[in-house]
Coordinates of all heavy atoms in Angstrom, one line a residue:
M1 N 119.6 83.1 10.0 CA 119.5 81.7 10.3 C 118.7 81.4 11.5 O 117.9 80.5 11.6 CB 120.9 81.1 10.3 CG 120.9 79.6 10.4 SD 120.3 78.9 8.9 CE 120.6 77.2 9.1
R2 N 119.0 82.2 12.6 CA 118.3 82.0 13.8 C 116.8 82.2 13.7 O 116.0 81.6 14.3 CB 118.9 82.9 14.9 CG 118.4 82.7 16.2 CD 119.1 83.5 17.2 NE 118.5 83.2 18.5 CZ 119.1 83.5 19.7 NH1 120.2 84.2 19.7 NH2 118.5 83.2 20.8
F3 N 116.4 83.2 12.9 CA 115.0 83.6 12.6 C 114.3 82.4 12.0 O 113.2 82.0 12.3 CB 114.9 84.8 11.8 CG 113.5 85.1 11.4 CD1 112.6 85.7 12.4 CD2 113.0 84.9 10.1 CE1 111.3 85.9 12.1 CE2 111.7 85.2 9.8 CZ 110.8 85.7 10.8
I4 N 114.9 81.7 11.0 CA 114.3 80.6 10.3 C 114.1 79.4 11.3 O 113.1 78.8 11.3 CB 115.2 80.2 9.1 CG1 115.1 81.3 8.0 CG2 114.7 78.9 8.5 CD1 116.0 81.1 6.9
R5 N 115.1 79.2 12.1 CA 115.0 78.1 13.1 C 113.8 78.4 14.1 O 113.0 77.5 14.4 CB 116.3 78.0 13.9 CG 116.2 76.8 14.9 CD 117.5 76.6 15.7 NE 118.5 76.2 14.8 CZ 119.8 76.3 15.1 NH1 120.2 76.7 16.2 NH2 120.7 75.8 14.2
L6 N 113.7 79.7 14.5 CA 112.7 80.1 15.4 C 111.3 79.9 14.7 O 110.3 79.5 15.4 CB 112.9 81.5 15.9 CG 111.9 82.0 16.9 CD1 111.9 81.2 18.2 CD2 112.2 83.5 17.2
L7 N 111.2 80.3 13.5 CA 110.0 80.1 12.7 C 109.6 78.7 12.6 O 108.4 78.3 12.7 CB 110.2 80.8 11.3 CG 108.9 81.0 10.5 CD1 107.9 81.9 11.2 CD2 109.3 81.6 9.2
G8 N 110.6 77.8 12.3 CA 110.3 76.4 12.2 C 109.8 75.8 13.6 O 108.9 75.0 13.6
V9 N 110.4 76.2 14.7 CA 110.0 75.7 16.0 C 108.5 76.2 16.2 O 107.7 75.5 16.7 CB 110.9 76.2 17.1 CG1 110.3 75.9 18.5 CG2 112.3 75.5 16.9
A10 N 108.2 77.5 15.9 CA 106.9 78.0 16.1 C 105.9 77.2 15.3 O 104.8 76.9 15.8 CB 106.9 79.5 15.8
A11 N 106.2 76.9 14.0 CA 105.3 76.1 13.2 C 105.1 74.7 13.8 O 103.9 74.3 13.8 CB 105.9 76.0 11.8
L12 N 106.1 74.1 14.3 CA 106.0 72.8 14.9 C 105.1 72.8 16.1 O 104.2 72.0 16.3 CB 107.4 72.2 15.2 CG 107.4 70.8 15.9 CD1 106.8 69.8 14.9 CD2 108.8 70.5 16.3
V13 N 105.3 73.9 16.9 CA 104.4 74.0 18.1 C 103.0 74.2 17.7 O 102.1 73.6 18.4 CB 104.9 75.2 19.0 CG1 103.9 75.6 20.0 CG2 106.3 74.9 19.6
L14 N 102.7 75.0 16.7 CA 101.3 75.2 16.2 C 100.7 73.9 15.7 O 99.5 73.6 16.0 CB 101.3 76.2 15.2 CG 101.4 77.7 15.6 CD1 101.5 78.6 14.4 CD2 100.3 78.1 16.6
V15 N 101.5 73.1 15.0 CA 101.0 71.8 14.5 C 100.6 70.9 15.6 O 99.6 70.2 15.7 CB 102.0 71.2 13.5 CG1 101.6 69.7 13.2 CG2 102.0 72.0 12.2
V16 N 101.6 70.8 16.6 CA 101.3 69.9 17.8 C 100.1 70.3 18.6 O 99.3 69.5 19.0 CB 102.6 69.7 18.6 CG1 102.3 69.0 19.9 CG2 103.7 69.0 17.8
A17 N 100.0 71.6 18.8 CA 98.9 72.2 19.6 C 97.6 71.9 18.8 O 96.6 71.6 19.4 CB 99.1 73.7 19.8
G18 N 97.6 72.1 17.5 CA 96.4 71.8 16.7 C 96.0 70.4 16.8 O 94.8 70.0 16.9
A19 N 96.9 69.5 16.7 CA 96.6 68.0 16.8 C 96.1 67.7 18.2 O 95.2 66.9 18.3 CB 97.9 67.2 16.5
G20 N 96.7 68.3 19.2 CA 96.2 68.0 20.6 C 94.8 68.5 20.8 O 94.0 67.9 21.4
A21 N 94.5 69.7 20.2 CA 93.1 70.3 20.3 C 92.1 69.4 19.6 O 91.0 69.1 20.1 CB 93.1 71.7 19.8
A22 N 92.5 68.9 18.4 CA 91.6 68.0 17.7 C 91.4 66.7 18.5 O 90.2 66.2 18.5 CB 92.2 67.6 16.3
A23 N 92.4 66.1 19.1 CA 92.2 64.9 19.9 C 91.3 65.2 21.1 O 90.5 64.3 21.4 CB 93.6 64.4 20.4
V24 N 91.5 66.3 21.8 CA 90.6 66.6 22.9 C 89.2 66.8 22.4 O 88.2 66.3 23.1 CB 91.1 67.9 23.6 CG1 90.1 68.4 24.6 CG2 92.5 67.6 24.3
A25 N 89.0 67.4 21.3 CA 87.6 67.7 20.8 C 87.0 66.3 20.4 O 85.8 66.1 20.7 CB 87.7 68.6 19.6
W26 N 87.7 65.4 19.8 CA 87.2 64.1 19.4 C 86.8 63.3 20.7 O 85.8 62.7 20.8 CB 88.2 63.3 18.6 CG 87.6 62.0 18.1 CD1 86.9 61.8 17.0 CD2 87.5 60.8 18.9 NE1 86.5 60.5 16.9 CE2 86.8 59.8 18.1 CE3 88.0 60.3 20.1 CZ2 86.6 58.5 18.5 CZ3 87.7 59.0 20.5 CH2 87.0 58.1 19.7
Y27 N 87.7 63.3 21.7 CA 87.4 62.6 22.9 C 86.2 63.2 23.6 O 85.3 62.4 24.1 CB 88.6 62.7 23.9 CG 88.4 61.9 25.1 CD1 88.6 60.6 25.2 CD2 88.1 62.6 26.3 CE1 88.5 59.9 26.4 CE2 87.9 61.9 27.5 CZ 88.1 60.5 27.5 OH 87.9 59.8 28.7
A28 N 86.0 64.5 23.6 CA 84.8 65.1 24.2 C 83.6 64.7 23.5 O 82.5 64.4 24.1 CB 85.0 66.6 24.3
A29 N 83.6 64.6 22.1 CA 82.5 64.2 21.3 C 82.2 62.8 21.6 O 81.0 62.4 21.7 CB 82.8 64.5 19.8
A30 N 83.2 61.9 21.7 CA 82.9 60.5 21.9 C 82.3 60.3 23.3 O 81.3 59.5 23.4 CB 84.3 59.7 21.9
R31 N 82.7 61.0 24.3 CA 82.1 60.9 25.7 C 80.6 61.4 25.6 O 79.8 60.8 26.3 CB 82.9 61.6 26.7 CG 84.3 61.2 26.9 CD 84.5 59.7 27.4 NE 84.2 58.7 26.4 CZ 85.0 58.1 25.5 NH1 86.2 58.5 25.4 NH2 84.6 57.1 24.8
T32 N 80.4 62.4 24.8 CA 79.0 62.9 24.7 C 78.1 61.9 24.0 O 77.0 61.7 24.5 CB 79.0 64.2 23.9 OG1 79.8 65.2 24.6 CG2 77.6 64.8 23.7
V33 N 78.6 61.2 23.0 CA 77.8 60.2 22.3 C 77.5 59.1 23.3 O 76.3 58.6 23.4 CB 78.6 59.6 21.1 CG1 77.9 58.3 20.6 CG2 78.6 60.6 20.0
E34 N 78.5 58.6 24.1 CA 78.3 57.5 25.1 C 77.2 58.0 26.1 O 76.3 57.2 26.4 CB 79.6 57.2 25.8 CG 80.5 56.3 25.1 CD 81.6 55.9 26.0 OE1 81.4 55.5 27.2 OE2 82.8 56.0 25.5
R35 N 77.3 59.2 26.6 CA 76.4 59.7 27.6 C 75.0 59.8 27.1 O 74.0 59.4 27.7 CB 76.9 61.0 28.1 CG 76.1 61.6 29.3 CD 76.6 62.9 29.9 NE 76.7 63.9 28.9 CZ 77.9 64.4 28.4 NH1 79.0 63.9 28.8 NH2 77.9 65.3 27.5
E36 N 74.8 60.3 25.8 CA 73.5 60.5 25.2 C 72.9 59.1 25.0 O 71.6 59.0 25.1 CB 73.6 61.3 23.9 CG 74.0 62.7 24.2 CD 72.9 63.5 25.0 OE1 71.7 63.3 24.7 OE2 73.3 64.3 25.8
V37 N 73.6 58.1 24.5 CA 73.0 56.8 24.3 C 72.6 56.2 25.6 O 71.4 55.7 25.7 CB 74.1 55.8 23.7 CG1 73.6 54.4 23.7 CG2 74.3 56.2 22.2
R38 N 73.4 56.3 26.7 CA 73.0 55.9 28.0 C 71.7 56.6 28.5 O 70.8 56.0 29.1 CB 74.1 56.0 29.0 CG 75.2 55.1 28.8 CD 74.8 53.8 29.5 NE 75.8 52.8 29.1 CZ 75.5 51.5 28.9 NH1 74.2 51.1 28.9 NH2 76.4 50.7 28.5
T39 N 71.7 57.9 28.3 CA 70.5 58.7 28.8 C 69.3 58.2 28.0 O 68.2 58.0 28.6 CB 70.8 60.2 28.5 OG1 71.9 60.6 29.3 CG2 69.6 61.0 28.9
W40 N 69.4 58.1 26.7 CA 68.2 57.6 25.9 C 67.7 56.2 26.4 O 66.6 56.0 26.5 CB 68.6 57.6 24.4 CG 67.6 56.9 23.6 CD1 66.4 57.4 23.2 CD2 67.7 55.6 23.1 NE1 65.7 56.5 22.4 CE2 66.5 55.3 22.3 CE3 68.6 54.5 23.2 CZ2 66.2 54.1 21.7 CZ3 68.4 53.3 22.5 CH2 67.2 53.2 21.8
A41 N 68.7 55.3 26.6 CA 68.3 54.0 27.0 C 67.6 54.0 28.4 O 66.7 53.2 28.7 CB 69.5 53.0 27.0
D42 N 68.1 54.9 29.3 CA 67.6 54.9 30.7 C 66.3 55.7 30.9 O 65.7 55.5 31.9 CB 68.7 55.4 31.6 CG 69.9 54.5 31.7 OD1 69.8 53.3 31.4 OD2 71.0 55.0 32.1
E43 N 66.0 56.5 29.9 CA 64.7 57.3 30.0 C 63.5 56.4 30.0 O 63.5 55.3 29.4 CB 64.6 58.3 28.9 CG 65.6 59.5 28.9 CD 65.5 60.3 27.7 OE1 64.8 60.0 26.7 OE2 66.0 61.4 27.8
A44 N 62.4 56.9 30.6 CA 61.2 56.2 30.5 C 60.6 56.5 29.1 O 60.4 57.7 28.7 CB 60.2 56.7 31.6
H45 N 60.3 55.5 28.3 CA 59.7 55.6 27.0 C 58.3 55.2 27.1 O 57.9 54.3 27.8 CB 60.5 54.7 26.0 CG 61.9 55.1 25.9 ND1 62.4 56.1 25.2 CD2 63.0 54.5 26.4 CE1 63.7 56.2 25.3 NE2 64.1 55.2 26.0
A46 N 57.4 55.9 26.3 CA 56.0 55.6 26.3 C 55.8 54.2 25.7 O 55.9 54.0 24.5 CB 55.3 56.6 25.5
G47 N 55.5 53.2 26.5 CA 55.1 51.9 26.0 C 56.2 50.9 25.7 O 55.9 49.8 25.3
Y48 N 57.4 51.3 25.9 CA 58.5 50.3 25.7 C 59.7 50.6 26.6 O 59.9 51.7 27.1 CB 58.9 50.3 24.2 CG 59.5 51.5 23.7 CD1 60.9 51.7 23.6 CD2 58.7 52.5 23.1 CE1 61.4 52.9 23.1 CE2 59.2 53.7 22.6 CZ 60.6 53.9 22.6 OH 61.1 55.0 22.1
T49 N 60.5 49.6 26.7 CA 61.8 49.7 27.5 C 62.9 49.4 26.6 O 62.8 48.6 25.7 CB 61.8 48.8 28.7 OG1 61.6 47.4 28.3 CG2 60.7 49.1 29.7
V50 N 64.1 50.0 26.9 CA 65.3 49.8 26.2 C 66.4 49.4 27.1 O 66.6 50.0 28.2 CB 65.7 51.1 25.4 CG1 67.0 50.9 24.7 CG2 64.6 51.5 24.5
H51 N 67.1 48.3 26.7 CA 68.3 47.9 27.5 C 69.5 47.9 26.5 O 69.4 47.3 25.4 CB 68.1 46.5 28.1 CG 69.4 46.0 28.6 ND1 70.0 46.4 29.8 CD2 70.3 45.1 28.1 CE1 71.1 45.7 29.9 NE2 71.3 44.9 28.9
V52 N 70.5 48.6 26.9 CA 71.8 48.5 26.1 C 72.9 48.1 27.0 O 73.1 48.6 28.1 CB 72.1 49.9 25.5 CG1 73.4 49.9 24.8 CG2 71.0 50.4 24.6
G53 N 73.6 47.0 26.6 CA 74.7 46.5 27.4 C 75.9 47.5 27.3 O 75.8 48.6 27.9
R54 N 76.9 47.1 26.7 CA 78.1 48.0 26.6 C 78.0 49.0 25.4 O 77.5 48.7 24.4 CB 79.3 47.0 26.3 CG 80.6 47.7 26.3 CD 81.8 46.7 26.2 NE 82.9 47.3 25.5 CZ 83.3 47.0 24.3 NH1 82.7 46.0 23.6 NH2 84.2 47.6 23.7
V55 N 78.5 50.2 25.7 CA 78.5 51.3 24.7 C 80.0 51.7 24.5 O 80.6 52.0 25.5 CB 77.7 52.5 25.1 CG1 77.8 53.6 24.0 CG2 76.2 52.1 25.3
S56 N 80.5 51.6 23.3 CA 81.8 52.1 23.0 C 81.8 53.0 21.8 O 81.0 52.8 20.9 CB 82.8 50.9 22.8 OG 82.4 50.1 21.7
V57 N 82.8 53.9 21.8 CA 82.9 54.8 20.6 C 84.3 54.7 20.1 O 85.3 54.7 20.8 CB 82.6 56.2 21.0 CG1 82.7 57.2 19.9 CG2 81.2 56.3 21.6
S58 N 84.5 54.6 18.8 CA 85.8 54.5 18.1 C 85.7 55.4 16.9 O 84.8 56.1 16.6 CB 86.0 53.0 17.7 OG 85.1 52.5 16.8
G59 N 86.8 55.3 16.0 CA 86.8 56.0 14.8 C 87.8 57.2 14.7 O 87.8 57.9 13.8
F60 N 88.6 57.4 15.8 CA 89.5 58.5 15.8 C 90.4 58.5 14.6 O 90.9 57.5 14.3 CB 90.3 58.5 17.1 CG 91.3 59.6 17.2 CD1 90.8 60.9 17.7 CD2 92.6 59.5 16.9 CE1 91.7 61.9 17.8 CE2 93.5 60.5 17.1 CZ 93.1 61.7 17.5
P61 N 90.6 59.6 14.0 CA 90.2 61.0 14.3 C 89.1 61.5 13.4 O 88.6 62.6 13.6 CB 91.5 61.8 14.0 CG 92.1 61.1 12.8 CD 91.7 59.6 13.0
T62 N 88.7 60.8 12.4 CA 87.7 61.4 11.4 C 86.3 60.9 11.5 O 85.4 61.4 10.8 CB 88.2 61.0 9.9 OG1 88.2 59.6 9.8 CG2 89.6 61.6 9.7
R63 N 86.0 60.0 12.4 CA 84.7 59.4 12.5 C 84.3 59.2 14.0 O 85.2 59.0 14.8 CB 84.5 58.1 11.8 CG 84.9 58.2 10.3 CD 84.9 56.9 9.6 NE 83.5 56.4 9.5 CZ 83.1 55.2 9.4 NH1 84.0 54.2 9.4 NH2 81.9 54.8 9.3
L64 N 83.0 59.1 14.2 CA 82.5 58.6 15.5 C 81.7 57.4 15.2 O 80.7 57.5 14.4 CB 81.6 59.7 16.2 CG 82.3 60.8 16.8 CD1 81.3 61.9 17.3 CD2 83.2 60.4 18.0
V65 N 82.1 56.3 15.7 CA 81.4 55.0 15.5 C 81.0 54.5 16.8 O 81.8 54.1 17.6 CB 82.3 53.9 14.8 CG1 81.5 52.7 14.6 CG2 82.8 54.5 13.5
A66 N 79.6 54.6 17.1 CA 79.1 54.1 18.3 C 78.7 52.6 18.1 O 78.0 52.3 17.2 CB 77.9 54.9 18.7
T67 N 79.2 51.8 19.1 CA 78.9 50.4 19.1 C 78.0 50.1 20.3 O 78.5 50.3 21.4 CB 80.1 49.5 19.1 OG1 80.9 49.8 17.9 CG2 79.8 48.0 19.0
L68 N 76.8 49.6 20.1 CA 75.9 49.3 21.2 C 75.8 47.8 21.2 O 75.4 47.2 20.2 CB 74.5 49.9 21.0 CG 74.4 51.4 21.1 CD1 75.2 52.2 20.1 CD2 72.9 51.8 21.0
D69 N 76.2 47.1 22.3 CA 76.2 45.7 22.4 C 75.0 45.2 23.2 O 74.6 46.0 24.2 CB 77.5 45.1 23.0 CG 78.7 45.3 22.1 OD1 78.5 45.2 20.9 OD2 79.8 45.5 22.6
D70 N 74.5 44.1 22.9 CA 73.4 43.5 23.7 C 72.2 44.4 23.9 O 71.8 44.8 25.0 CB 73.9 43.0 25.1 CG 75.0 41.9 24.9 OD1 74.9 41.1 24.0 OD2 75.9 42.0 25.7
V71 N 71.6 44.8 22.8 CA 70.5 45.7 22.8 C 69.1 44.9 22.8 O 69.0 44.0 22.1 CB 70.5 46.6 21.5 CG1 69.3 47.6 21.5 CG2 71.8 47.4 21.5
S72 N 68.2 45.4 23.6 CA 66.9 44.8 23.7 C 65.9 45.9 23.8 O 66.0 46.8 24.7 CB 66.8 43.9 25.0 OG 65.5 43.4 25.1
I73 N 64.9 45.8 23.0 CA 63.8 46.8 23.0 C 62.5 46.0 23.2 O 62.2 45.1 22.4 CB 63.7 47.6 21.7 CG1 65.0 48.4 21.5 CG2 62.5 48.6 21.8 CD1 65.2 49.1 20.2
T74 N 61.7 46.3 24.3 CA 60.6 45.5 24.6 C 59.3 46.5 24.7 O 59.4 47.5 25.3 CB 60.8 44.8 26.0 OG1 62.0 44.1 25.9 CG2 59.6 43.9 26.3
S75 N 58.2 46.0 24.1 CA 57.0 46.7 24.3 C 56.0 45.8 25.0 O 55.6 44.8 24.5 CB 56.4 47.1 22.9 OG 55.1 47.5 23.0
E76 N 55.7 46.2 26.2 CA 54.8 45.4 27.0 C 53.4 45.5 26.4 O 52.6 44.5 26.4 CB 54.7 46.0 28.5 CG 56.0 45.9 29.2 CD 56.4 44.4 29.6 OE1 55.5 43.6 29.7 OE2 57.6 44.2 29.7
Q77 N 53.0 46.7 25.9 CA 51.6 46.8 25.4 C 51.4 46.0 24.1 O 50.3 45.4 24.0 CB 51.4 48.3 25.0 CG 51.4 49.2 26.2 CD 51.4 50.7 25.8 OE1 51.7 51.0 24.7 NE2 51.0 51.5 26.8
L78 N 52.4 45.9 23.3 CA 52.2 45.1 22.0 C 52.7 43.7 22.1 O 52.7 43.0 21.2 CB 53.0 45.9 20.9 CG 52.5 47.3 20.6 CD1 53.4 47.9 19.5 CD2 51.0 47.3 20.2
A79 N 53.3 43.4 23.3 CA 53.9 42.0 23.5 C 54.9 41.7 22.5 O 54.9 40.6 21.9 CB 52.8 41.0 23.6
L80 N 55.8 42.7 22.2 CA 56.9 42.5 21.2 C 58.2 42.7 21.9 O 58.3 43.5 22.9 CB 56.7 43.5 20.1 CG 55.6 43.4 19.2 CD1 55.5 44.6 18.2 CD2 55.6 42.1 18.4
R81 N 59.2 42.0 21.4 CA 60.6 42.2 21.9 C 61.5 42.0 20.7 O 61.4 41.1 19.9 CB 60.9 41.1 23.0 CG 62.3 41.3 23.5 CD 62.5 40.2 24.6 NE 63.8 40.2 25.0 CZ 64.2 40.5 26.3 NH1 63.3 40.8 27.2 NH2 65.5 40.5 26.6
Y82 N 62.5 42.9 20.7 CA 63.6 42.9 19.7 C 64.9 42.8 20.4 O 65.2 43.6 21.2 CB 63.5 44.1 18.8 CG 64.6 44.1 17.7 CD1 64.6 43.3 16.6 CD2 65.8 44.9 17.9 CE1 65.6 43.3 15.7 CE2 66.8 44.9 17.0 CZ 66.7 44.0 15.9 OH 67.7 44.0 15.0
D83 N 65.7 41.8 20.1 CA 67.0 41.6 20.6 C 68.0 41.6 19.5 O 67.8 41.0 18.5 CB 67.1 40.3 21.4 CG 66.2 40.3 22.6 OD1 66.3 41.3 23.4 OD2 65.5 39.3 22.8
T84 N 69.2 42.2 19.7 CA 70.3 42.1 18.8 C 71.6 42.1 19.5 O 71.7 42.7 20.6 CB 70.2 43.2 17.7 OG1 71.3 43.0 16.8 CG2 70.4 44.6 18.4
D85 N 72.6 41.5 19.0 CA 73.9 41.4 19.6 C 74.6 42.8 19.5 O 75.4 43.2 20.4 CB 74.8 40.4 18.9 CG 74.3 39.0 19.1 OD1 73.7 38.7 20.2 OD2 74.5 38.2 18.2
R86 N 74.4 43.5 18.4 CA 75.2 44.7 18.2 C 74.5 45.6 17.2 O 73.9 45.2 16.2 CB 76.6 44.3 17.6 CG 77.5 45.5 17.3 CD 78.8 45.1 17.0 NE 79.4 44.5 18.2 CZ 80.3 43.6 18.3 NH1 80.8 43.1 17.2 NH2 80.8 43.2 19.4
I87 N 74.6 46.9 17.5 CA 74.2 48.0 16.6 C 75.4 48.9 16.4 O 76.0 49.4 17.4 CB 73.0 48.8 17.1 CG1 71.7 47.9 17.2 CG2 72.7 50.0 16.2 CD1 70.5 48.6 17.8
L88 N 75.7 49.2 15.2 CA 76.8 50.2 14.9 C 76.2 51.4 14.2 O 75.4 51.3 13.3 CB 77.8 49.6 13.9 CG 78.6 48.3 14.3 CD1 79.4 47.8 13.2 CD2 79.4 48.6 15.5
I89 N 76.6 52.6 14.7 CA 76.1 53.8 14.1 C 77.3 54.7 13.9 O 78.1 54.9 14.8 CB 75.2 54.6 15.1 CG1 74.0 53.7 15.5 CG2 74.7 55.9 14.5 CD1 73.2 54.2 16.7
A90 N 77.5 55.1 12.6 CA 78.7 55.8 12.2 C 78.4 57.2 11.7 O 77.4 57.4 11.0 CB 79.5 55.0 11.2
R91 N 79.3 58.1 12.0 CA 79.2 59.5 11.5 C 80.5 60.1 11.1 O 81.4 60.0 12.0 CB 78.5 60.4 12.5 CG 78.4 61.8 12.3 CD 77.2 62.2 11.5 NE 77.1 63.5 11.1 CZ 76.1 64.3 11.2 NH1 75.0 63.9 11.7 NH2 76.2 65.5 10.7
N92 N 80.7 60.6 9.9 CA 82.0 61.2 9.5 C 82.0 62.6 10.2 O 81.0 63.2 10.3 CB 82.1 61.4 8.0 CG 82.3 60.1 7.3 OD1 82.9 59.1 7.9 ND2 81.9 60.0 6.0
L93 N 83.2 63.0 10.5 CA 83.4 64.3 11.2 C 83.9 65.4 10.3 O 83.7 66.5 10.5 CB 84.3 64.2 12.4 CG 83.7 63.3 13.5 CD1 84.8 63.2 14.6 CD2 82.4 63.8 14.1
Q94 N 84.7 65.0 9.3 CA 85.4 66.0 8.5 C 85.0 65.9 7.0 O 85.4 65.0 6.3 CB 87.0 65.8 8.6 CG 87.5 65.9 10.0 CD 89.0 65.7 10.1 OE1 89.5 65.2 9.1 NE2 89.5 66.0 11.2
G95 N 84.3 67.0 6.6 CA 83.9 67.0 5.2 C 83.3 65.8 4.7 O 83.0 64.9 5.4
G96 N 83.1 65.7 3.4 CA 82.6 64.5 2.7 C 81.2 64.2 3.2 O 80.6 64.7 4.1
P97 N 80.6 63.3 2.4 CA 79.2 62.9 2.8 C 79.1 62.1 4.1 O 80.1 61.3 4.3 CB 78.7 62.1 1.6 CG 80.0 61.5 1.0 CD 81.1 62.6 1.3
D98 N 78.1 62.2 4.8 CA 77.9 61.4 6.0 C 77.6 60.0 5.6 O 76.8 59.8 4.7 CB 76.8 61.9 6.9 CG 77.2 63.2 7.7 OD1 78.4 63.3 7.9 OD2 76.3 63.9 8.0
R99 N 78.1 59.0 6.3 CA 77.7 57.7 6.1 C 77.1 57.2 7.4 O 77.8 56.8 8.3 CB 78.9 56.8 5.7 CG 78.5 55.4 5.3 CD 79.7 54.5 5.0 NE 79.7 53.4 5.9 CZ 80.7 52.8 6.3 NH1 81.9 53.1 5.9 NH2 80.6 51.8 7.2
K100 N 75.8 57.3 7.4 CA 75.1 56.9 8.6 C 74.7 55.4 8.4 O 74.1 55.1 7.4 CB 73.9 57.7 8.9 CG 74.3 59.2 9.2 CD 73.0 60.0 9.3 CE 73.4 61.4 9.4 NZ 72.3 62.3 9.4
S101 N 75.2 54.5 9.2 CA 74.9 53.1 9.0 C 74.5 52.5 10.3 O 74.9 52.9 11.3 CB 76.1 52.4 8.4 OG 77.1 52.4 9.3
T102 N 73.6 51.5 10.1 CA 73.2 50.7 11.3 C 73.3 49.3 10.8 O 72.7 48.9 9.8 CB 71.7 51.0 11.7 OG1 71.6 52.4 12.0 CG2 71.3 50.2 12.9
R103 N 74.1 48.5 11.5 CA 74.2 47.1 11.2 C 73.7 46.3 12.4 O 74.1 46.5 13.5 CB 75.7 46.8 11.0 CG 75.9 45.5 10.3 CD 77.3 45.3 9.8 NE 78.0 44.6 10.8 CZ 79.3 44.6 11.0 NH1 80.0 45.3 10.2 NH2 79.9 43.9 11.9
L104 N 72.8 45.4 12.1 CA 72.2 44.6 13.2 C 72.5 43.2 13.0 O 72.5 42.6 11.9 CB 70.6 44.8 13.1 CG 70.1 46.2 13.1 CD1 68.6 46.2 12.9 CD2 70.4 46.9 14.4
N105 N 72.8 42.6 14.2 CA 73.0 41.1 14.2 C 71.9 40.6 15.1 O 72.1 40.6 16.3 CB 74.4 40.8 14.8 CG 75.5 41.3 13.9 OD1 75.4 41.4 12.7 ND2 76.6 41.6 14.5
S106 N 70.9 40.1 14.5 CA 69.7 39.6 15.3 C 70.1 38.2 15.9 O 70.7 37.4 15.3 CB 68.5 39.5 14.5 OG 68.1 40.8 14.1
S107 N 69.6 38.1 17.1 CA 69.7 36.7 17.8 C 68.4 36.0 17.7 O 67.4 36.5 17.4 CB 70.2 36.9 19.2 OG 69.5 37.8 19.9

């Protein structure tokens, strides 16, 4: 009886540790997405500038959904400007087909 109880406790510890590791991995991936979006927006681009307001990542635990608020892309050379309130970019993390989507709300 003691062995079965010990086996049950060990299984519970493994499940909790696995869930914790998955949460840490998702959080690290979300911070990487935020950092990469910021880096892309702040880089010097040939002929255009990019401004991104707030960047947030959601979708735990099976997706990464990046929300970019107040996005503006300007080309001085072409005298063009594109503004939108929000861009959503989604990516599934576990199996299944990727659903990459971009939803724009133009102002």
